[in-house]
Amino acid sequence: MTRVSWTTVIGAVSLLVAAYLFYHTFDPVYDVSIVTAGRGPVFFPRILLALMLVLSLAVTIEGLRLPHRFFSGRTLLIVVSTIALTGLYIGAITAVGFLIATVLYVFALPFLLGYRNVPVIGAVAAIYPLTVWYLFDKVFLIILPSSPWFDSF
Amino acid sequence: MDALSLGIGHLLTLPVLVSVFAGTVLGVVVGVLPGLGSVVGITMVLPFTFTLGQIPALALMLGIYCGSVYGGSISAIVINTPGTPQAAATALDGYPMARRGEADLAIGWTTAASVIGGLFSVAVLIVAAPQLAAFSLNFTAIEYFALGVFALICIANVSRGAMLKGLLSGVIGLFVATVGVDHVTGDMRFTFDNFEMTAGISLVPAIVGLFALSEVFVRASETHVLKEQSMFRVGFRLPPWSEWKPRLGILFKSCAIGSFVGALPGTGAATAAFISYSEAKRSSPRRDKLGTGEPDGLVAAESANNAVTGSAMVPTLALGIPGDPVTAVMLGTFVVHGLAPGPRLFTEHLDLVYAVFFILIAVNLLMFVVGAVGAQAFTRVLRVPEPILMACVVVISLIGAYGVRGNPIDLIIAFVFGVVGFLFRKNGFPLAPMVIGMVLSEMIENSLRQGLLITRGDFLAFFERPIALALFVLTAAILLWPPIRWALDRRTKADTKKMDWTSE
């Protein structure tokens, strides 16, 4: 059985999203304003979504001619883990604070990407986040999310 | 004259001079590291600009921009891996020169050609931008609409062999920017009653995701096979004047090519370098030696790619229309710092425009000193383990995404765009049209709606204005050319087959 290419998958997802949003533009909530020569807030987005529908369909069909090619085995695992780890890190920034989340992330990511020199990773994970946090939070006064347990970080 | 002296005054302040220096050095470092291009470089320094004033922030950005275009050539010469795509043509002659033991000379040629190319493009910017801005003062909303559509189509069109994907990417970008408050009516669009979404999807987190985070995911997806990499002893040696003299023609022709290509929307420094290299291969008296370590190749590629930097700023500054992702990010930074590029910038903030000119001159001159003094040191950057570098890139880029508004939703936006960017890059969808679409969306929408007000809702009246008509015709030609070419190719092939059959 031939598997569909990722181009087709992306095209199809885009098609579905565009179809749903196009349908959504007919929601009564958008009938409130008819200024600008009778063109309300969804006048322009509706044109774009119509274009998106046509182009997504064309890309979906174009993708059917392409071979299925993506990652397999170990590479797929690394990619999915990297994306998941970054997602977790972003979630952790607001949950446990920037500094703690960053120390853990800077330690874990190189390890995940195959760099196993623990003393070097440990040193970088200790120094880099602290420097960056101090520089932005204390010197530049760009207040980064802090942890619920400590006042300062 | 007042604006001119104010412009010089802006440059000669400590924060600006420090920013110029730091930007140029960091730019070269970013350029040297393969994969981290100008956009990632600018994204990484974005959080630092939040606390800087307008002009030091611009100086930092411009330093990164010019420095990174030059820096890519160092790794192209030393390890045969261009640090940025713009330096790919440089490797063709730079690496063979290094293998001959002339890495220092290759860096000398590259540095001098880059500086001359960069300064040439600043001259183009100084001459062309005010003229274009003055000309565009006659533009109405209709011309701006036509121009916006034309720029976007150009950018989607240069996505070689992937025009459909490029157009889809551009339309997605245009749509993403419509989320949030409608600037004309004040109504909410596509927020689905989510308060955080009322502020819309801002450009900076999207760029951080599309370029910086997706770069990390792409690196994770590449199986790293350790290749035997040569690392030559690097120094800096300028070629004598007698070597330059026969190459002045190529130098200035390449500067002109780079400046012309840079001003066009959708084309970047990589395109300019290859066009210029091809031209040198066609016309140089030493064309037979090109590709074997001939300085003509270095001069052509490096002067052209650096000549893009200034001229790419022409439409960005004069019209507010970026030509590539780098200038789109710069434009975003202008807006973050309360400046709106376009013709009014030249009437209301002329001192700032002059400051940009002087900063670019200073950056290019400094690039020569930095290259001459630090070539050896910059190659050491290549020894930093890539996984550690990637972790550092993610952290600093996310601060950039978060710092603009201090809103945690921007971190989520960056992540979502990171995944989208990764999937797009892995499947041949270009990212540049999406970014440019996001930047141009508001302008295109507002000018379309204003234009329809002017013409009382008659869209056909848009074609009655000559400049708009010319732009619409060009847009249609760009869109229709690929199918026409395809049909012509098919016909030619069919004719050839027929001729073969009859001759048999």
Side-chain angles (χ1 to χ4, degrees), chain A residues 5-70:
Chain A
S5 70
W6 273 88
T7 298
T8 297
V9 174
I10 292 171
V13 170
S14 169
L15 187 73
L16 287 173
V17 171
Y20 170 70
L21 291 172
F22 192 80
Y23 168 75
H24 171 72
T25 62
F26 292 97
D27 195 293
V29 74
Y30 296 120
D31 287 339
V32 289
S33 178
I34 48 163
V35 294
T36 67
R39 275 135 190 122
V42 285
F43 164 68
F44 183 64
R46 207 174 271 162
I47 298 172
L48 297 178
L49 290 167
L51 281 170
M52 225 167 118
L53 279 170
V54 175
L55 290 167
S56 304
L57 186 67
V59 166
T60 308
I61 294 167
E62 189 186 58
L64 291 174
R65 287 179 296 160
L66 299 174
H68 171 84
R69 189 163 45 86
F70 214 58

Side-chain angles (χ1 to χ4, degrees), chain A residues 6-7 10 14 20-21 24-25 30 32-33 35-37 39-45 47-49 51-52 55-56 58-59 62 66 70-71 75 78-79 82-83 86-87 89-90 93-94 98 102 105-106 109-110 113 115 120 124 128 132 135-136 140 142-145, chain B residues 47-48 50-51 161 164-165 167-168 171-172 174-175 178 182 184-185 187-192 213 216-217 220-223 385 387-388 390-396 398-399 402-403 408 411-412 415 419 422-424 426-427 429 441 444-445 448-449 452-453 456-457:
Chain A
W6 273 88
T7 298
I10 292 171
S14 169
Y20 170 70
L21 291 172
H24 171 72
T25 62
Y30 296 120
V32 289
S33 178
V35 294
T36 67
R39 275 135 190 122
V42 285
F43 164 68
F44 183 64
I47 298 172
L48 297 178
L49 290 167
L51 281 170
M52 225 167 118
L55 290 167
S56 304
V59 166
E62 189 186 58
L66 299 174
F70 214 58
F71 320 113
T75 311
I78 293 173
V79 173
T82 306
I83 293 174
T86 308
Y89 167 52
I90 285 170
I93 288 176
T94 44
F98 174 82
T102 305
Y105 182 74
V106 173
L109 186 71
L113 294 178
Y115 185 74
V120 174
V124 174
Y128 179 72
V132 167
L135 197 65
F136 285 101
F140 293 158
I142 294 174
I143 306 302
L144 299 166
Chain B
F48 294 96
F50 297 152
T51 48
L164 273 178
K165 290 174 176 174
L167 286 172
L168 180 60
V171 173
I172 292 173
L174 285 171
F175 176 76
T178 65
D182 171 12
V184 179
T185 64
D187 294 314
M188 295 298 160
R189 302 189 290 198
F190 310 106
T191 56
F192 299 98
L213 292 191
V216 177
F217 302 153
S221 74
E222 284 162 2
T223 19
I388 286 183
M390 290 299 111
C392 298
V393 168
V394 172
V395 172
I396 203 99
L398 285 178
I399 294 178
Y402 177 80
L411 294 172
I412 298 167
F415 178 67
V419 177
F422 166 70
L423 290 170
F424 270 37
K426 278 297 194 186
N427 292 285
F429 288 80
S441 185
I444 293 177
E445 179 177 12
L448 172 66
R449 288 161 85 171
L452 286 170
L453 274 176
R456 294 169 193 264

